[in-house]
Amino acid sequence: MTQTPGDHRWLDQAVALATRNVAEGGGPFGALVVCGGEVVSTGVNRVTRDNDPTAHAEVVAIRGACRERGDFALAGCVLFTSCEPCPLCLSSALWARLDRVVYAADRDDAARGGFDDRAFYDLFGQERDAWPLPIQELRLDTAVMPFDAWLADAARTHY
């Protein structure tokens, strides 16, 4: 993957957002979505501020960029984030179809700061029966009805 001339500048902004967020009582994470050389959206960690465990900086920035662009896909855009995306944020970036993700600190830095990103990465490498959260399938006769309805809907939006 090749870096572009603006990468350092955008990443500096993400780190500055994260640092400012700490000063304002938030978590140490900041992110921005850049499309066509312009910042479309920024986000900071709002988990404790909003009582929302999904309000990670990257997710907040992705949500804002999608609203701004009027599209759930962010092809042509890059996510710059102050720290390596956790599995939630990485999944969000993949679903958003971003072109790239560029980060500054890594999961080890996050662990040193008291965040359990590494634990989640490690957890996904284990068999589900070893997880602290039971994940169970209860197969119903109607389990595939929503997918059948989806496939039968000619007006569905593919993603």
Side-chain angles (χ1 to χ4, degrees):
M1 187 176 344
T2 322
Q3 291 183 349
T4 64
D7 285 359
H8 282 87
R9 181 182 68 199
W10 302 127
L11 203 52
D12 279 340
Q13 285 186 30
V15 171
L17 279 171
T19 305
R20 187 168 49 252
N21 196 48
V22 171
E24 295 171 356
F29 303 96
L32 46 120
V33 175
V34 176
C35 305
E38 299 291 327
V39 175
V40 175
S41 179
T42 64
V44 294
N45 182 282
R46 300 186 56 88
V47 170
T48 58
R49 189 175 299 149
D50 294 353
N51 292 318
D52 179 352
T54 68
H56 292 202
E58 297 89 340
V59 174
V60 171
I62 289 168
R63 287 174 180 162
C66 288
R67 274 192 307 274
E68 183 66 29
R69 289 175 51 120
D71 196 346
F72 59 83
L74 298 174
C77 300
V78 179
L79 175 66
F80 292 91
T81 180
S82 63
C83 188
E84 179 180 6
C86 73
L88 168 73
C89 297
L90 183 57
S91 295
S92 298
L94 289 165
W95 277 110
R97 311 297 197 253
L98 288 155
D99 285 5
R100 287 187 306 142
V101 175
V102 181
Y103 63 89
D106 65 16
R107 63 185 80 170
D108 296 316
D109 298 311
R112 187 180 65 76
F115 293 88
D116 49 10
D117 300 40
R118 174 167 282 298
F120 289 131
Y121 274 106
D122 293 344
L123 177 67
F124 290 132
Q126 297 175 17
E127 293 296 322
R128 279 194 180 168
D129 60 0
W131 290 17
L133 174 66
I135 308 291
Q136 302 168 318
E137 178 183 27
L138 176 56
R139 190 69 177 188
L140 301 174
D141 291 339
T142 57
V144 299
M145 284 179 61
F147 296 106
D148 291 342
W150 170 258
L151 291 171
D153 183 359
R156 71 182 177 270
T157 301
H158 295 273
Y159 64 96

